[in-house]
């Protein structure tokens, strides 16, 4: 069975990027921030990371050509069926061909919600982010920022839902 070795896997086209794990961890973080589809190739018996969203998957090297092609096709299919928000470096939230600008503080609070789209982000994690930016932050300050973000994201078809006492989830409103 033909297999790709570590040195042979480099590209799948423009829509899915191949990242060698753990060697290219810095590039992986950049791709995650930009919302680009990525297939991690796990090298040298390294422990794979747990994918945090549907834009990421992994295979262990060496991988058969058929398995590699199947993983790439699965990533493309998931991306085609799921609309996923992307928060770019310019502070623009993109979702379903719509865009809304965010302030720098809103970007910091929104990034973990985007990264775990549909998943819970703990309240204490967001307070920690807010505190790092502004010094000691209160629950009331977080609530105010979440209220402002809620008003903005609704215009692109998203909503922030509260998990009482635990945190928040960013999800599609449609």
């Amino acid at each position: 069975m033909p297999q790709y070795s570590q040195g042979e896997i480099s590209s799948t086209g423009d829509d899915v990027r191949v990242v060698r794990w753990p060697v290219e961890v810095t590039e992986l973080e950049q791709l995650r921030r930009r919302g680009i589809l990525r297939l991690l190739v796990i090298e040298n018996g390294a422990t794979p990371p747990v994918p945090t969203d549907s834009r990421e998957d992994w295979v262990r090297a060496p991988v058969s050509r058929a398995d590699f092609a199947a993983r790439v096709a699965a990533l493309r299919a998931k991306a085609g069926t799921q609309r996923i928000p992307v928060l770019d470096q310019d502070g623009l939230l993109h979702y379903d061909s719509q865009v809304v600008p965010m302030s720098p503080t809103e970007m910091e609070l929104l990034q973990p919600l985007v990264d775990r789209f549909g998943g819970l982000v703990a309240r204490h994690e967001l307070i920690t982010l807010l505190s790092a930016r502004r010094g000691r932050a209160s629950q009331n300050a977080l609530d105010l920022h979440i209220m402002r973000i809620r008003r903005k994201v609704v215009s692109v078809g998203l909503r922030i839902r509260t998990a009482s006492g635990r945190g928040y989830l960013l999800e599609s409103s449609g």
Side-chain angles (χ1 to χ4, degrees):
M1 170 186 319
Q3 291 190 335
Y4 287 117
S5 66
Q6 293 171 1
E8 292 179 292
I9 300 172
S10 61
S11 179
T12 63
D14 292 339
D15 61 337
V16 178
R17 298 287 299 275
V18 176
V19 180
R20 295 170 44 224
W21 176 265
V23 176
E24 297 177 339
V25 68
T26 303
E27 181 179 349
L28 175 62
E29 290 304 318
Q30 292 171 356
L31 295 172
R32 282 177 174 164
R33 282 192 297 276
R34 293 173 39 211
I36 293 174
L37 298 174
R38 54 221 174 257
L39 181 63
L40 282 60
V41 178
I42 311 303
E43 298 180 336
N44 302 323
T47 302
V50 176
T52 57
D53 66 47
S54 61
R55 295 170 283 198
E56 186 172 297
D57 201 356
W58 61 268
V59 294
R60 197 170 291 284
V63 59
S64 72
R65 293 178 191 270
D67 287 349
F68 182 78
R71 290 293 176 106
V72 168
L75 271 173
R76 287 179 177 141
K78 283 192 280 187
T81 59
Q82 294 182 347
R83 299 176 304 173
I84 299 173
V86 174
L87 185 60
D88 70 21
Q89 296 170 338
D90 297 323
L92 300 174
L93 176 66
H94 302 261
Y95 185 69
D96 198 25
S97 74
Q98 297 186 45
V99 179
V100 64
M102 295 288 161
S103 74
T105 301
E106 291 166 344
M107 282 178 58
E108 279 193 48
L109 295 173
L110 190 56
Q111 189 64 60
L113 292 162
V114 168
D115 290 343
R116 290 179 237 157
F117 184 59
L120 182 71
V121 176
R123 181 183 306 264
H124 69 83
E125 182 180 341
L126 296 175
I127 289 176
T128 300
L129 286 172
L130 193 56
S131 295
R133 183 177 244 316
R134 298 184 167 236
R136 186 167 156 80
S138 69
Q139 179 62 49
N140 288 340
L142 177 62
D143 291 343
L144 179 63
H145 285 290
I146 292 295
M147 179 191 69
R148 290 177 179 157
I149 295 169
R150 278 187 168 126
R151 288 180 181 162
K152 288 184 174 185
V153 301
V154 73
S155 69
V156 296
L158 294 169
R159 69 177 176 184
I160 296 177
R161 198 164 47 122
T162 302
S164 185
R166 296 181 311 177
Y168 302 95
L169 295 93
L170 178 66
E171 58 190 16
S172 173
S173 61

